Amino acid sequence: FDLEIENLYMVGDRESDINAGINAGVKTILVETANVPVVAEKANYTAPTLLDAVKYVLAHNISSTSYNTHNQHLTIFDY
C-alpha cells in the first residue's frame, strides 16, 4: 500500500487504541461505543458512533482538488 502517515487514523473504543495510534504517529479517534465509559483526552476527536468517526475522517481528508474516491482506502480492524 502507498500510505501517507499524515492521512492515517486509528479508530478505537479504548484508551489503549488511542495510545497505539499515538505511538504509531497517526491521528486518533475515540468512538464512544464501549459498554464502559472511556475517556481519552489525547484523542484528536471523540465520536459518538463509528459512523460519526467515518464522517469526520471523510470531512477532514477531502480536498476539492485532490480527492479521488478510487484511491481512498478505509481499513477497519476490529479486535
Side-chain angles (χ1 to χ4, degrees):
F1 293 101
D2 183 21
L3 303 175
E4 298 173 2
I5 194 110
E6 64 271 7
N7 294 324
L8 299 180
Y9 287 81
M10 173 65 166
V11 180
D13 63 354
R14 296 189 166 111
E15 186 175 14
S16 60
D17 298 329
I18 301 308
N19 289 334
I22 291 168
N23 290 335
V26 300
K27 298 173 201 157
T28 58
I29 299 176
L30 175 68
V31 180
E32 298 179 317
T33 57
N35 293 331
V36 178
V38 177
V39 176
E41 296 176 4
K42 296 177 184 177
N44 294 100
Y45 179 69
T46 299
T49 68
L50 183 57
L51 178 59
D52 290 310
V54 171
K55 289 178 181 179
Y56 178 87
V57 171
L58 293 176
H60 288 86
N61 284 304
I62 295 176
S63 168
S64 60
T65 59
S66 65
Y67 184 71
N68 180 341
T69 57
H70 298 293
N71 292 328
Q72 295 298 309
H73 302 281
L74 175 62
T75 304
I76 299 174
F77 298 97
D78 186 11
Y79 296 100

